[in-house]
Amino acid sequence: MIWKEILIRYGELSTKGRNKKDFINRLRANIRHTFSDIAPLEIVSERDRMHIKLENEDQYEVLMNKLPTVFGIQSFSPVAVCGKDLDDMKKLSLIIMEQFKEQELTFKVEVRRSDKTFPLESHEIQREIGGHVLRNNPNISVQVKKPDVELRIEVRQDAIYMMAQIIQGAGGMPVGSNGKSLLMLSGGIDSPVAGYLLMKRGVRLEAIHFFSPPYTSDNSLEKVKVLANELTKFGANIRLHVIPFTEIQVLIRDRVPSNTIMTTTRRMMMRIADQVRQEIGALGIVTGESLGQVASQTLESLTAINDVTNTPILRPLIAFDKLEIIDIAEKIGTYETSIQPFEDCCTIFTPANPKTKPKVEKVTYYESFTEFDELIDRAVRNREVYKFPEENTVKDKFEGLL
């Protein structure tokens, strides 16, 4: 294998000031976590980039496959190494460019010469290596501005480092660099996308789901577990808090006018989420709401729902249309799971004509005839918590016999 390291570029992290080191340390820790299955990794971090040393082909394949999902990485490149000899450099340049032999493309040579004692100047290296590549690759031509391929050569103190691929990363900020929030995760298309976008901004997530058996099935819960697990591939563990919601939901159906059932249901969900948020030390609540998409997502409805808490409600999809949300869901791999036809509690007891412009004072009045506090406390106490990604443990077949 010619590849000796992977070079990582930070992108947005490069604009940080005095706390830049904290963001870089977080990114390094996230990379170690993501690739714990091939640990230990030798990672060297610098101010504007990071180097992951490669030991074998298997390690290279795993890194190349998963690095595009790690937030905080703008781009990365596999890097080959040779001795500081011109003939060695020419040989390596041909090996690297071999991967493009079937394509008609343009290229240029870019040189970064940190070892100023190297006898050849940057323009001399460009001329020697560029000419050698052109003579041996009739499918390639030179183009200085926006070429298809840049053959990048770095003359460092210890050796020559060479690369020709720039692979786009996930961008954004390292997960965990902007605190923790609680994601209200339904089984639909929107909420996993909202979670993804908040993770991209560096927010670590826990998730909450409202489960109403027998009105919702075990299949609907399993779907949510799969979605929570899917989000972990972007660099962080997720705990899913499953709330038993049947008792409260039936009571809402029986006690409030039918056209305000949805508003009151969302308000009770928000109150429960806020209580769980406090217990886990999260700073905000994340939802997948998009303005005007359904009756419960009009500005009046959102105002009525917000009225039960002072906690920041983060709605990253608020100005997205449905097609934009679907595009992201397909890109991140949650769409096919989300469209499985298992109902969640948001779709049961839905009135024929829900209020689109509920008045806060009227909703509060209808709710005042029912004591919800004790039911909310009990639902929070009786929740089940699942951790993702799930560990593949082998059950002891003799367990319980001793």
Side-chain angles (χ1 to χ4, degrees):
M1 184 180 72
I2 66 169
W3 309 114
K4 300 301 180 183
E5 70 171 46
I6 292 180
L7 172 66
I8 291 174
R9 304 172 188 87
Y10 302 141
E12 187 175 353
L13 297 192
S14 299
T15 66
K16 298 299 176 183
R18 294 180 181 179
N19 60 348
K20 181 176 181 177
K21 185 177 179 181
D22 296 332
F23 286 89
I24 293 173
N25 288 341
R26 171 57 63 183
L27 175 59
R28 185 173 61 239
N30 288 355
I31 291 173
R32 290 195 188 281
H33 170 76
T34 301
F35 298 101
S36 59
D37 55 334
I38 56 170
L41 287 179
E42 183 181 349
I43 303 175
V44 178
S45 54
E46 299 175 353
R47 180 168 179 80
D48 293 312
R49 54 193 190 164
M50 187 178 289
H51 309 270
I52 304 177
K53 306 298 182 181
L54 295 172
E55 295 181 358
N56 53 59
E57 186 81 33
D58 290 341
Q59 197 180 62
Y60 167 77
E61 293 293 339
V62 173
L63 284 161
M64 293 293 286
N65 184 51
K66 288 186 181 179
L67 275 175
T69 66
V70 179
F71 291 123
I73 297 176
Q74 188 66 27
S75 66
F76 62 95
S77 301
V79 180
V81 180
C82 69
K84 298 170 76 170
D85 175 82
L86 185 57
D87 287 337
D88 290 342
M89 294 166 65
K90 288 180 176 179
K91 290 176 184 176
L92 184 59
S93 69
L94 292 184
I95 293 172
I96 290 176
M97 296 303 291
E98 177 76 10
Q99 62 189 302
F100 305 112
K101 66 180 180 180
E102 303 298 331
Q103 307 172 46
E104 292 288 334
L105 50 79
T106 59
F107 98 117
K108 74 172 182 178
V109 177
E110 192 71 32
V111 178
R112 180 173 176 171
R113 187 168 162 269
S114 57
D115 178 11
K116 303 302 181 184
T117 65
F118 190 71
L120 295 177
E121 297 286 343
S122 294
H123 69 276
E124 293 176 302
I125 297 172
Q126 288 174 317
R127 183 175 66 246
E128 291 286 345
I129 301 301
H132 187 67
V133 169
L134 285 173
R135 285 190 295 271
N136 288 275
N137 291 274
N139 61 309
I140 293 177
S141 59
V142 173
Q143 183 169 305
V144 177
K145 292 185 178 180
K146 297 183 178 180
D148 298 317
V149 175
E150 280 191 17
L151 179 60
R152 300 189 177 193
I153 301 172
E154 296 189 4
V155 183
R156 304 184 200 170
Q157 295 294 331
D158 59 327
I160 301 294
Y161 292 74
M162 205 173 295
M163 68 203 84
Q165 285 179 283
I166 299 178
I167 301 162
Q168 288 304 304
M173 310 294 291
V175 175
S177 61
N178 272 323
K180 181 168 71 174
S181 288
L182 181 65
L183 170 66
M184 298 180 73
L185 184 62
S186 71
I189 297 170
D190 301 343
S191 57
V193 174
Y196 163 81
L197 292 176
L198 260 293
M199 291 175 77
K200 187 172 183 178
R201 298 313 305 160
V203 177
R204 185 175 297 281
L205 294 179
E206 295 198 25
I208 186 170
H209 177 70
F210 297 87
F211 186 44
S212 296
Y215 302 101
T216 56
S217 67
D218 289 341
N219 286 330
S220 70
L221 178 57
E222 190 59 34
K223 181 168 77 164
V224 172
K225 291 179 182 179
V226 172
L227 291 172
N229 196 58
E230 279 293 310
L231 289 175
T232 65
K233 70 186 180 186
F234 298 104
N237 294 336
I238 290 178
R239 290 199 304 170
L240 173 66
H241 303 257
V242 177
I243 302 292
F245 197 56
T246 309
E247 185 180 20
I248 294 174
Q249 199 161 10
V250 169
L251 193 62
I252 292 170
R253 180 196 62 184
D254 295 341
R255 296 288 182 87
V256 304
S258 62
N259 61 359
T260 61
I261 284 176
M262 186 57 69
T263 303
T264 295
T265 299
R266 295 301 177 100
R267 281 162 60 91
M268 294 306 113
M269 287 179 172
M270 191 64 71
R271 288 180 61 183
I272 291 170
D274 203 24
Q275 193 164 317
V276 173
R277 176 203 63 80
Q278 286 182 298
E279 290 187 12
I280 66 175
L283 301 176
I285 296 172
V286 184
T287 80
E289 291 158 326
S290 171
L291 189 61
Q293 188 177 122
V294 294
S296 63
Q297 296 177 20
T298 64
L299 199 53
E300 292 84 356
S301 292
L302 296 179
T303 299
I305 295 167
N306 282 12
D307 184 63
V308 300
T309 179
N310 292 320
T311 297
I313 309 301
L314 307 175
R315 296 182 169 99
L317 303 181
I318 197 69
F320 283 56
D321 66 40
K322 196 66 177 184
L323 292 179
E324 291 172 323
I325 298 169
I326 289 172
D327 284 345
I328 299 174
E330 291 176 332
K331 170 189 168 186
I332 66 176
T334 59
Y335 179 73
E336 292 301 326
T337 300
S338 292
I339 61 173
Q340 291 179 7
F342 305 120
E343 286 190 323
D344 59 46
C345 68
C346 295
T347 58
I348 64 174
F349 305 154
T350 303
N353 297 296
K355 280 275 189 183
T356 59
K357 296 182 179 181
K359 303 295 184 185
V360 174
E361 58 274 13
K362 284 190 176 182
V363 176
T364 304
Y365 173 75
Y366 298 141
E367 294 171 4
S368 68
F369 297 99
T370 305
E371 182 52 63
F372 285 106
D373 292 352
E374 183 180 344
L375 297 176
I376 288 172
D377 290 342
R378 184 158 65 240
V380 171
R381 284 196 309 272
N382 293 336
R383 73 186 186 272
E384 294 183 347
V385 181
Y386 301 86
K387 295 181 180 180
F388 299 97
E390 292 180 310
E391 294 181 4
N392 293 320
T393 56
V394 179
K395 187 174 181 180
D396 183 356
K397 62 183 178 180
F398 300 109
E399 184 180 359
L401 297 179
L402 300 177

